[in-house]
Amino acid sequence: MTAQPRGTAVRTEACPGGPVLVRGAEDVVDEQGVAHPVTRPVVALCACERSQRMPWCDSTHQAVARARRASS
Amino acid sequence: MLLPDPVGPLSRRAHALLRGAHRAPGPLELPEAGSFTEDLDAQLALWLIHQLSYRGYDDVDDDLEWSPAVVTLRRGLESAFEAELRSATRERLAVTDAGTPVEELLLAMVAVDDGPSVAAYLHRHATREHVLDYLRERSVQQLAEADAQSFMLPRLRGAAKVALAEIQYDEYGAGRADRLHQDLYARTMRGAGLDDSWGAYLPDVGATSLALANLPSMLALNRRLVPAGAGHFAVFEASSSVPSRKIAAGIERVGLGPEVAAYFDEHVEADAVHEQVAARDLCGSLVVERPELRSEVLFGAACCLHLDRLAAEELLGRWGASDDRAERAG
């Protein structure tokens, strides 16, 4: 996760093999410095860098894991 | 809504009781073993009764929800449904590793599932009429989205209760009436030129569409089955984000506008969050607190995958979709 959540009471929870859950953030600043407002009580930040909705998780990590499993 | 018409002996039985008959005529005759889930008459009968615990009917006495004859019929139907699901999921559950934390197992069960994917077909191949058919079929479930799970809240405690409430708050719009998910689905239906009134397509939908609504109702309304309801919910959420992205793309591909895709678009990000909260904080906490519930949580998860497969087969079969066009790749 390269995007940074901002807020006064931010709590983060890394999900193994999945995203980082963020609670209490007001916005999330991405690598380019663009602030993305947080509009839900919990947001999931992409940690696999494959999301098509950066900085948010879109569960693409599931497909990555599936492809890895299929090729192993 | 008005009480829908019955389609066979079981729904006729439910219909008669809801019309005020004091007892059901003759002995209860259930569909033959193994066919309850895909039996339209049986699923409609159960749906008709469950509905008394949600919105009821304009032309049915609300007090019949707890009428002994109605409850007896409901128990008869639910026992058959549950027994069939226990038998159908045995094989799937036999391979679950006892050493893996339940939250990882839940997400892995979704990841290895190789059933046909309606979303993959909608994404690349479906016609506009197939998309409309899909929206009608799912309306029974999505116009009441998250309602079944609300019945689980008072039956949970501690971290599991907090997790479910957190998801439900988001499902119910996170404080904004215009973001209530079930209303987003209504907007999608209107955008597609469909009737968004509750129950409008009930007479048209298939058995498995009713079963998709009946399963979470049964698991949440019976306190004994709430751990299975939690497992079901985790898998339901974990099989939604990626498919929603494909369905949204399919909707736009057939020329229905972004207002129709908006519901699915919302669920890409929302369910990427919900799947983690449901698997880790709801089911994980439940099993940490009461390890003996683990097998029931996994039973519910397996039920969700099993029913998803039957529901996909029903729709894809109706549309004449070949297997390779509904492959779950990616």
Side-chain angles (χ1 to χ4, degrees), chain B:
Chain B
M1 72 182 286
L2 299 173
L3 183 64
D5 289 332
V7 299
L10 289 169
S11 53
R12 225 171 359 252
R13 202 177 176 90
H15 194 270
L17 292 175
L18 301 190
R19 276 271 172 266
H22 291 294
R23 64 174 60 147
L28 179 63
E29 285 177 31
L30 292 164
E32 56 184 276
S35 63
F36 191 96
T37 309
E38 296 169 279
D39 187 300
L40 181 64
D41 180 40
Q43 292 295 339
L44 179 62
L46 191 49
W47 193 92
L48 291 177
I49 296 176
H50 279 159
Q51 204 41 219
L52 287 173
S53 300
Y54 294 94
R55 306 184 199 185
Y57 307 94
D58 298 336
D59 54 349
V60 170
D61 179 2
D62 288 335
D63 200 39
L64 287 170
E65 180 184 0
W66 296 106
S67 138
V70 172
V71 173
T72 300
L73 176 55
R74 181 182 137 190
R75 287 184 62 85
L77 296 166
E78 287 183 342
S79 299
F81 193 17
E82 183 187 342
E84 181 168 308
L85 291 166
R86 294 218 180 255
S87 152
T89 53
R90 201 162 291 141
E91 216 168 294
R92 209 183 273 272
L93 291 171
V95 296
T96 53
D97 173 16
T100 311
V102 73
E103 60 271 27
E104 284 176 33
L105 209 42
L106 290 167
L107 298 174
M109 283 169 81
V110 177
V112 300
D113 185 56
D114 60 355
S117 164
V118 172
Y121 187 76
L122 292 173
H123 186 196
R124 302 257 184 231
H125 308 288
T127 64
R128 189 184 173 103
E129 192 41 54
H130 294 148
V131 172
L132 295 176
D133 193 32
Y134 176 78
L135 295 176
R136 283 190 295 263
E137 290 286 336
R138 288 297 163 272
S139 64
V140 177
Q141 188 183 11
Q142 307 300 37
L143 288 175
E145 185 178 0
D147 284 349
Q149 285 77 24
S150 291
F151 280 111
M152 300 200 295
L153 271 172
R155 286 101 188 253
L156 295 167
R157 56 187 186 183
K161 173 175 267 183
V162 172
L164 179 57
E166 189 174 56
I167 298 171
Q168 294 299 84
Y169 182 62
D170 203 33
E171 296 280 1
Y172 289 143
R176 291 173 53 187
D178 64 335
R179 300 302 297 167
L180 179 63
H181 281 189
Q182 37 190 255
D183 285 0
L184 295 183
Y185 197 82
R187 225 173 290 157
T188 276
M189 293 189 77
R190 288 196 301 275
L194 299 171
D195 185 348
D196 68 336
S197 54
W198 179 234
Y201 296 107
L202 197 80
D204 308 317
V205 302
T208 57
S209 289
L210 294 170
L212 286 171
N214 290 340
L215 174 60
S217 289
M218 176 172 81
L219 299 181
L221 289 168
N222 291 281
R223 188 171 58 81
R224 173 179 63 84
L225 294 172
V226 162
H232 171 278
F233 193 39
V235 164
F236 181 79
E237 295 290 336
S239 5
S240 168
S241 176
V242 172
S244 290
R245 172 153 43 92
K246 293 179 179 172
I247 296 167
I251 285 172
E252 300 215 23
R253 180 181 57 77
V254 301
L256 291 162
E259 76 281 9
V260 181
Y263 170 87
F264 296 96
D265 219 38
E266 158 70 13
H267 283 76
V268 175
E269 284 166 32
D271 289 347
V273 176
H274 296 173
E275 73 181 44
Q276 300 295 338
V277 178
R280 294 172 200 285
D281 302 331
L282 170 60
C283 296
S285 309
L286 199 58
V287 173
V288 164
E289 196 189 347
R290 294 183 59 192
E292 74 277 14
L293 298 181
R294 180 185 163 98
S295 61
E296 278 298 276
V297 170
L298 294 175
F299 164 61
C303 286
C304 186
L305 292 168
H306 169 68
L307 182 51
D308 268 0
R309 176 181 289 245
L310 296 183
E313 285 170 355
E314 179 167 23
L315 289 188
L316 294 167
R318 182 192 301 169
W319 300 338
S322 59
D323 289 351
D324 61 320
R325 292 188 152 200
E327 259 181 59
R328 197 168 280 263

